[in-house]
Amino acid sequence: MSISTNVPVTITPEASARVDELGLRAELEQMLEHARQTVPDLTRIELTYLEPYDTGIDPGIGIEAYINRPFIPEDRISETFARWEIGIFPPEVLQYFTFLLRFETNHAG
């Protein structure tokens, strides 16, 4: 397992505008920094605008963390991140963010 604090972050213009509209830039930055510090084998983070569904929930932001390793059922990366978020942020903040872990393997050798 390796931890990298220097991973690229991309954000769509729609996601950036939504974060600014919500006034949650500082909270997002805190989430990104925590992901950089704790998610093993992190290669990049992509932030996307999430359209609302028929549930009436407001649009949100997807935080997609890509890691360079295959899926391992025993990994609890997402659960650990969620526990941290719940301990730090109120529901009024968390309702707008969805953390998604994406597994990819670099087969170049």
Side-chain angles (χ1 to χ4, degrees):
M1 172 179 88
S2 67
I3 300 293
S4 175
T5 58
N6 188 20
V7 297
V9 175
T10 58
I11 184 168
T12 64
E14 298 84 6
S16 185
R18 182 66 174 148
V19 171
D20 291 339
E21 175 186 329
L22 295 168
L24 297 175
R25 183 70 60 177
E27 291 84 351
L28 174 61
E29 291 299 331
Q30 192 174 354
M31 291 177 197
L32 294 175
E33 185 57 30
H34 185 75
R36 287 182 189 111
Q37 296 288 331
T38 63
V39 175
D41 303 311
L42 184 64
T43 59
R44 71 183 188 278
I45 300 172
E46 296 179 0
L47 305 170
T48 57
Y49 177 85
L50 300 177
E51 293 282 347
Y53 291 97
D54 293 337
T55 59
I57 297 173
D58 290 336
I61 307 302
I63 303 171
E64 297 182 65
Y66 288 81
I67 61 174
N68 186 22
R69 65 195 285 178
F71 172 73
I72 301 170
E74 296 79 23
D75 273 349
R76 297 289 179 243
I77 299 166
S78 292
E79 292 88 348
T80 301
F81 193 87
R83 278 195 304 276
W84 172 82
E85 282 182 313
I86 291 167
I88 298 294
F89 302 106
E92 297 80 18
V93 169
L94 294 179
Q95 70 182 342
Y96 295 109
F97 295 96
T98 302
F99 179 79
L100 304 165
L101 196 58
R102 303 289 190 209
F103 296 88
E104 58 186 359
T105 14
N106 181 357
H107 297 288

